[in-house]
């Protein structure tokens, strides 16, 4: 069980949160201009590092806000 | 063994000889025709069929830990082929047919037990989806039946079919030929047979990068040095992204912990395999007597081979709702493995963007059942440099073309 630091509510139990995957994946500015490969990259491909990973979390059973943090995917240590 | 006191072994200290080793432990050669990265069930089966079906015996299997100590040692050993789509029915049913004669093929006991699988339906939508899947299975020659709650109870008397629960059982699909096998024995059987055909099984040898020149792979960098290879076949499950990233290859994979647990040893109470998507647990009883349970993945990406306890708690409460008789059973042990999940819950088996490199990954939560089938097809793919017809639909290109094989429903595990 992880203790996840919600920027607004403080450290809370992992079970209060929803996971949102990799952070910083922007919707393409002009989707129609993308090739099939580029669209597939946007739609299906996400980083999957062993180590520090910048990711999205939602405090869905609390303040319901989304935020990003960096977590080590091996140790679950929250780095920032 | 009579002799003066002090030269005789202590009572009980007279141990038998160690049994024969099942495989050699060779030093790696300078190069191989094929290097298989990952010594789990899939890697071992692939090496075996490369040697057996294609006469390619200058093969090494490189394993960073000990043989079959990753997901092969951590899965819940369920074998079935009742997936929805034609593509899946093709490869999983091929696999099930191979399971049915695997003991004879490997000349090794694997405790394969075709005790059937029930996939429970808990809502009207579940019922419709399940009946549709039964019809799809039958059209593909896969044995499948739709059972009423009373018939479910006949197959598995300990399932609670009372309408008086939060998620009542409205019926189930039943595949009688499904079952379980002893996962360690499966790995050992393949390892022993591959070794006998000349395959080098090299343990404690971690692949840290791929050697690539002019767009083709020529070897692997390991902690035991660089080993040359005519072809490299990845079969590294949850760590595939890490290995592929070294070659600059992006894959649509996310690695997650998947947890399982066993109870203490109980007398035989559970005659089949029961899976439930909605209540979300799957349970069988091992030959030795433990109840073996699994559920969904932990939602976050992770490589730590452990997950959160609330996942275990939910899975046990689901099991209790379905099987009130388990109320007094104790958990003996829980553990986690790292599974590589794709967007459509189907695997990626085939060619890679780099020449002479091959991909077998993305099996997510369901790789064990496919062990013989994927070994067979992947060996063909590697030997011929083009996909076997049964794994051709599972190409990496499908994420660009859009020809996905969406098995989120029949995967029976939340992704």
């Amino acid at each position: 069980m992880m203790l996840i630091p919600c920027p607004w509510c403080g450290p809370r139990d992992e079970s209060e949160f929803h996971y949102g995957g990799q952070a910083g994946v922007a919707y393409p500015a002009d989707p129609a201009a993308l090739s099939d490969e580029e669209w597939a990259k946007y739609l299906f491909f996400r980083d999957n590092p062993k180590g520090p990973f910048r990711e999205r979390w939602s405090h869905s059973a609390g303040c319901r806000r989304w935020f990003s943090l960096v977590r080590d995917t091996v140790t679950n240590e929250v780095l920032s | 063994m009579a002799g003066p006191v002090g030269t005789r072994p202590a009572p009980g200290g007279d141990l038998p000889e160690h049994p024969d080793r099942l495989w050699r432990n060779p030093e790696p050669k300078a190069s191989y025709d094929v290097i298989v990265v990952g010594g789990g069930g899939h890697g071992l089966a692939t090496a075996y069929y490369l040697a057996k079906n294609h006469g390619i015996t200058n093969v090494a299997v490189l394993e960073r830990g000990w043989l079959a100590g990753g997901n092969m040692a951590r899965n819940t050993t369920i074998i079935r082929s009742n997936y929805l789509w034609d593509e899946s029915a093709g490869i999983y049913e091929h696999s099930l047919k191979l399971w049915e004669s695997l003991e004879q093929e490997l000349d090794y006991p694997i405790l394969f037990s075709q005790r059937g699988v029930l996939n429970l339906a808990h809502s009207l939508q579940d019922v419709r989806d399940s009946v549709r899947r039964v019809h799809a299975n039958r059209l593909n020659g896969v044995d499948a039946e739709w059972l009423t709650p009373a018939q479910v109870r006949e197959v598995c008397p300990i399932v609670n079919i009372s309408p008086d629960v939060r998620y009542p059982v409205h019926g189930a699909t039943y595949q009688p030929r499904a079952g379980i096998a002893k996962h360690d024995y499966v790995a050992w059987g393949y390892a022993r047979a591959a070794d006998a055909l000349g395959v080098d099984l090299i343990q404690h040898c971690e692949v840290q990068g791929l050697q690539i020149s002019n767009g083709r792979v020529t070897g692997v960098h390991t902690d035991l040095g660089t080993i040359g290879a005519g072809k490299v076949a990845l079969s590294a499950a949850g760590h595939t992204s890490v290995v592929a990233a070294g070659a600059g290859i992006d894959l649509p994979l996310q690695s997650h912990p998947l947890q399982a647990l066993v109870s203490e040893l109980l007398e035989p109470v559970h005659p089949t395999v029961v899976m439930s998507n909605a209540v979300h647990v799957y349970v069988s009883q091992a030959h030795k007597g433990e109840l073996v349970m699994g559920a969904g993945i932990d939602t976050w990406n992770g490589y730590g081979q452990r997950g959160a306890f609330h996942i275990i708690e939910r899975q046990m409460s689901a099991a209790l709702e379905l099987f009130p008789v388990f109320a007094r059973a104790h958990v003996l042990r829980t553990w986690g493995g790292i599974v590589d999940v794709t967007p459509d819950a189907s695997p990626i088996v085939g060619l890679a963007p780099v020449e002479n490199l091959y991909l077998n990954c993305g099996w997510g939560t369901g790789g064990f059942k496919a062990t013989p089938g994927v070994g067979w097809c992947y060996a063909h793919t590697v030997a011929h440099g083009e996909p076997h017809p049964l794994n051709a639909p599972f190409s990496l290109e499908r994420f660009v073309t859009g020809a996905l094989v969406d098995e989120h429903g029949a995967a029976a595990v939340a992704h």
Side-chain angles (χ1 to χ4, degrees):
Chain A
M1 182 78 76
M2 285 188 277
L3 208 54
I4 295 175
C6 172
W8 292 278
C9 310
R12 295 295 188 95
D13 207 279
E14 173 193 339
S15 57
E16 294 184 16
F17 294 83
H18 245 85
Y19 188 59
Q22 183 182 349
V25 181
Y27 189 75
D30 184 5
L34 298 188
S35 67
D36 286 353
E37 285 77 13
E38 289 166 333
W39 181 245
K41 274 271 187 288
Y42 165 70
L43 209 54
F44 295 126
F45 288 69
R46 295 290 181 271
D47 292 346
N48 188 26
K50 183 177 184 177
F53 186 41
R54 190 163 182 80
E55 61 193 10
R56 301 288 283 165
W57 287 88
S58 163
H59 193 189
S60 48
C63 63
R64 301 190 56 76
R65 289 212 251 189
W66 284 93
F67 60 94
S68 300
L69 56 77
V70 178
R71 178 182 57 98
D72 187 306
T73 59
V74 181
T75 63
N76 283 340
E77 192 185 348
V78 176
L79 303 171
S80 68
Chain B
M1 284 294 287
V5 173
T7 64
R8 274 176 285 169
D14 195 8
L15 295 174
E17 290 291 304
H18 191 287
D20 290 342
R21 303 278 171 183
L22 294 178
W23 53 83
R24 301 162 292 130
N25 250 325
E27 293 296 313
K29 293 192 259 182
S31 73
Y32 291 90
D33 292 343
V34 178
I35 285 179
V36 178
V37 180
H42 287 198
L44 294 168
T46 302
Y48 170 72
Y49 290 115
L50 275 170
K52 173 81 189 308
N53 292 357
H54 305 284
I56 301 174
T57 56
N58 186 22
V59 175
V61 178
L62 307 185
E63 167 55 48
R64 73 190 180 107
W66 60 90
L67 278 191
N71 293 348
M72 191 63 175
R74 296 158 198 267
N75 69 85
T76 51
T77 79
I78 298 168
I79 296 164
R80 61 191 177 92
S81 62
N82 57 352
Y83 283 73
L84 176 65
W85 299 107
D86 297 352
E87 296 86 347
S88 312
I91 193 160
Y92 288 110
E93 178 60 18
H94 177 59
S95 195
L96 181 49
K97 289 205 172 95
L98 291 172
W99 279 112
E100 286 175 325
S101 58
L102 196 57
E103 284 200 349
Q104 295 90 316
E105 169 77 22
L106 299 177
D107 189 23
Y108 197 79
I110 58 166
L111 303 187
F112 180 52
S113 160
Q114 289 181 291
R115 55 184 65 187
V117 63
L118 292 165
N119 290 79
L120 304 181
H122 297 278
S123 66
L124 185 56
Q125 188 62 48
D126 267 0
V127 171
R128 289 171 176 152
D129 291 345
S130 301
V131 171
R132 177 190 178 198
R133 186 158 50 74
V134 164
H135 289 310
N137 287 163
R138 286 186 168 180
L139 288 171
N140 278 314
V142 175
D143 57 320
E145 296 166 39
W146 170 252
L147 303 188
T148 63
Q151 290 170 314
V152 168
R153 182 114 192 163
E154 277 169 34
V155 173
C156 188
I158 57 172
V159 174
N160 181 13
I161 58 164
S162 156
D164 191 22
V165 294
R166 175 67 183 83
Y167 298 104
V169 174
H170 290 312
T173 68
Y174 184 48
Q175 183 181 23
R177 285 165 59 243
I180 58 173
K182 179 81 181 157
H183 48 85
D184 289 335
Y185 293 4
V186 175
W188 300 343
Y190 271 119
R192 170 176 169 269
D195 175 87
L197 293 171
V199 171
D200 280 0
L201 308 176
I202 298 165
Q203 306 181 70
H204 306 293
C205 175
E206 183 170 15
V207 172
Q208 295 166 332
L210 300 172
Q211 188 181 51
I212 294 174
S213 63
N214 299 326
R216 67 169 56 186
V217 68
T218 55
V220 297
H221 303 298
T222 77
D223 48 2
L224 301 181
T226 298
I227 307 174
K231 296 176 174 182
V232 174
L234 299 187
S235 203
H239 275 77
T240 304
S241 293
V242 177
V243 181
I249 299 171
D250 280 340
L251 295 170
L253 299 174
Q254 298 281 281
S255 294
H256 294 273
L258 175 67
Q259 302 186 76
L261 65 91
V262 290
S263 74
E264 62 199 318
L265 307 189
L266 302 169
E267 63 186 270
V269 290
H270 186 4
T272 181
V273 180
V274 172
M275 312 182 72
S276 164
N277 274 16
V279 180
H280 211 176
V281 70
Y282 38 96
V283 190
S284 67
Q285 188 169 17
H287 294 83
K288 214 163 57 178
E290 310 101 314
L291 296 168
V292 185
M293 292 184 209
I297 56 172
D298 280 63
T299 55
W300 34 268
N301 293 25
Y303 284 89
Q305 290 189 322
R306 57 186 298 182
F309 195 71
H310 69 269
I311 305 282
I312 297 284
E313 241 177 339
R314 279 183 205 161
Q315 139 186 0
M316 283 195 294
S317 58
L320 264 189
E321 164 140 336
L322 289 175
F323 302 98
V325 68
F326 293 172
R328 286 166 191 275
H330 295 105
V331 171
L332 188 67
R333 171 168 90 244
T334 77
W335 65 89
I338 301 302
V339 299
D340 46 334
V341 172
T342 60
D344 62 355
S346 285
I348 300 168
V349 187
L351 312 185
V354 173
E355 211 177 322
N356 294 337
L357 180 67
Y358 299 88
L359 298 172
N360 171 42
C361 56
W363 286 91
T365 59
F368 176 73
K369 66 177 78 67
T371 300
V374 72
W376 181 286
C377 295
Y378 194 36
H380 177 105
T381 302
V382 173
H384 294 269
E386 59 183 60
H388 186 282
L390 288 178
N391 64 268
F394 299 103
S395 70
L396 180 59
E397 287 77 46
R398 77 176 185 273
F399 296 99
V400 174
T401 63
L404 303 184
V405 186
D406 181 4
E407 287 291 2
H408 279 284
V413 176
H415 287 128

